[in-house]
Amino acid sequence: LSPDSSKTTAGQLFLATNLAYLAVGASLQLQGEPLLGSLCDICAAASFAYHYTQLDLTAAEVRIALLVDYLFAALAIGTSSLYLGSALLGGTIPIADLYTTIGVSVSSIVFLGLSWQYEYGKPYMFWHGLWHLASAASGYLVGVVQLSN
């Protein structure tokens, strides 16, 4: 992500997008959804660590941090998918909530795809930062659905 680093405004804004996961995790936990809430909080830490290494450290350290980030992201995405699937199969999600949740989730996937297409500098930080925000919102919406079941 050079020439940006954790000391540049762009790098700091990019790292700050991970706060969305932390806020969602805390909110879900306070509302009574400890599993997904905790996973969101762990994802916040893993994602921050990974992106910090992208900004400031060596390629070997980036690969290790990426593996940890992917593992926790996969757990959170898997848990969210199970929650949403359960709500869909049980018919317990109002149609408007379903459309909103799916719309935000699809948007997050589009942003992730764009960050993979533009894997360099500011374009990556922009699209991947939007992925952080949209996927956190998606996690929150799925968590709220789970709470209502």
Side-chain angles (χ1 to χ4, degrees):
L1 300 179
S2 176
D4 286 298
S5 72
S6 65
K7 293 175 179 49
T8 65
T9 300
Q12 291 169 353
L13 288 171
F14 177 52
L15 289 173
T17 61
N18 288 293
L19 291 172
Y21 296 125
L22 198 60
V24 165
S27 178
L28 290 175
Q29 288 183 62
L30 289 171
Q31 293 179 62
E33 178 42 54
L35 177 59
L36 188 55
S38 295
L39 286 172
C40 287
D41 287 339
I42 292 167
C43 284
S47 181
F48 180 89
Y50 165 54
H51 296 304
Y52 180 85
T53 64
Q54 277 186 306
L55 287 163
D56 288 351
L57 301 177
T58 67
E61 293 161 318
V62 170
R63 284 191 290 274
I64 293 167
L66 175 61
L67 176 63
V68 172
D69 184 43
Y70 273 16
L71 289 172
F72 286 113
L75 281 170
I77 291 168
T79 301
S80 294
S81 297
L82 287 173
Y83 283 1
L84 189 56
S86 173
L88 286 170
L89 291 174
T92 58
I93 181 170
I95 196 74
D97 292 347
L98 175 63
Y99 287 149
T100 301
T101 303
I102 289 175
V104 172
S105 299
V106 168
S107 296
S108 73
I109 292 167
V110 168
F111 296 145
L112 180 61
L114 286 166
S115 74
W116 286 342
Q117 181 166 351
Y118 300 100
E119 286 190 286
Y120 57 88
K122 285 182 177 61
Y124 170 82
M125 290 190 292
F126 175 77
W127 292 115
H128 202 80
L130 287 178
W131 149 255
H132 289 164
L133 299 175
S135 64
S138 175
Y140 179 78
L141 292 169
V142 170
V144 169
V145 164
Q146 179 66 16
L147 285 164
S148 67
N149 286 332

